[in-house]
C-alpha cells in the first residue's frame, strides 16, 4: 500500500521536466500563495521545514508535503495528476508549458491504513 500514485498524463509531464531540468522534487504546501497546489522544483530548489513529510516517490523523486497539511490529509491517498492551464502559484516547473499539477484525493479504507508504511520526516 502506498500513499502516492501518479496518472500516466502527469508522468508524461514529469518526463518532459526531467529531460529539461534533471532531478526533481515535489512539494505541496498549505500556504497562501500556492494554496495546496503541488509544486515541482529542481531537486534542492525548495527548502523544506523541520517536520515536513515525504509521502512517497514518483520515479526516484520525493513528494513532500507541509507537516501541518499532512496532519489533515494523513488518511488520504494522493494521486498526482495534471491539467491544462496555469495554477494559482505559478512557481512550479510545469507552468511555462501551460500545465498545472493537481492532486486527486480519496480516503484510505481501514485495511489500507493498517498497511501503510511509515513516512519520512525532514529533520
Amino acid at each position: 500500500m502506498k500513499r502516492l500514485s501518479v496518472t500516466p498524463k502527469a508522468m508524461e509531464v514529469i518526463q518532459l521536466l526531467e529531460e529539461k531540468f534533471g532531478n526533481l522534487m515535489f512539494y505541496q504546501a498549505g500556504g497562501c500563495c500556492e494554496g495546496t497546489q503541488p509544486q515541482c522544483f529542481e531537486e534542492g530548489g525548495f527548502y523544506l521545514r523541520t517536520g515536513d513529510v515525504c509521502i512517497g516517490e514518483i520515479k526516484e523523486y520525493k513528494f513532500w508535503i507541509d507537516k501541518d497539511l499532512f496532519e489533515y490529509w494523513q488518511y488520504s491517498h494522493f494521486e498526482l495528476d495534471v491539467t491544462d492551464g496555469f495554477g494559482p502559484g505559478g512557481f512550479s516547473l510545469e507552468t511555462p508549458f501551460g500545465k498545472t499539477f493537481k492532486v486527486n484525493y480519496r480516503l484510505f479504507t481501514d485495511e489500507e491504513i493498517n498497511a501503510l508504511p511509515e513516512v519520512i520526516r525532514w529533520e
Side-chain angles (χ1 to χ4, degrees):
M1 178 52 45
K2 295 183 178 182
R3 294 180 179 274
L4 176 68
S5 63
V6 60
T7 66
K9 195 172 164 184
M11 186 60 80
E12 288 177 17
V13 175
I14 292 166
Q15 289 171 334
L16 170 75
L17 298 176
E18 179 182 47
E19 290 170 11
K20 183 154 181 70
F21 299 104
N23 292 341
L24 306 170
M25 67 180 290
F26 295 88
Y27 190 80
Q28 185 159 348
C32 63
C33 298
E34 69 286 337
T36 55
Q37 173 190 347
Q39 304 281 306
C40 180
F41 301 98
E42 292 179 65
E43 186 177 48
F46 183 85
Y47 294 105
L48 300 169
R49 298 183 315 155
T50 300
D52 282 345
V53 179
C54 178
I55 61 166
E57 294 182 1
I58 298 170
K59 298 184 97 179
E60 65 271 14
Y61 309 128
K62 290 185 172 39
F63 190 107
W64 296 91
I65 67 170
D66 174 86
K67 62 185 178 182
D68 298 322
L69 192 64
F70 177 74
E71 295 307 314
Y72 186 79
W73 288 104
Q74 66 182 306
Y75 302 109
S76 300
H77 178 268
F78 283 50
E79 178 188 56
L80 185 66
D81 200 357
V82 70
T83 188
D84 292 329
F86 298 102
F91 302 117
S92 194
L93 292 176
E94 80 282 0
T95 301
F97 299 97
K99 304 289 183 188
T100 298
F101 284 119
K102 66 176 190 161
V103 171
N104 303 314
Y105 304 96
R106 72 165 178 83
L107 291 176
F108 288 118
T109 65
D110 289 340
E111 295 80 25
E112 289 173 328
I113 289 172
N114 292 330
L116 289 171
E118 290 292 316
V119 295
I120 299 169
R121 293 189 182 262
W122 184 258
E123 295 182 20

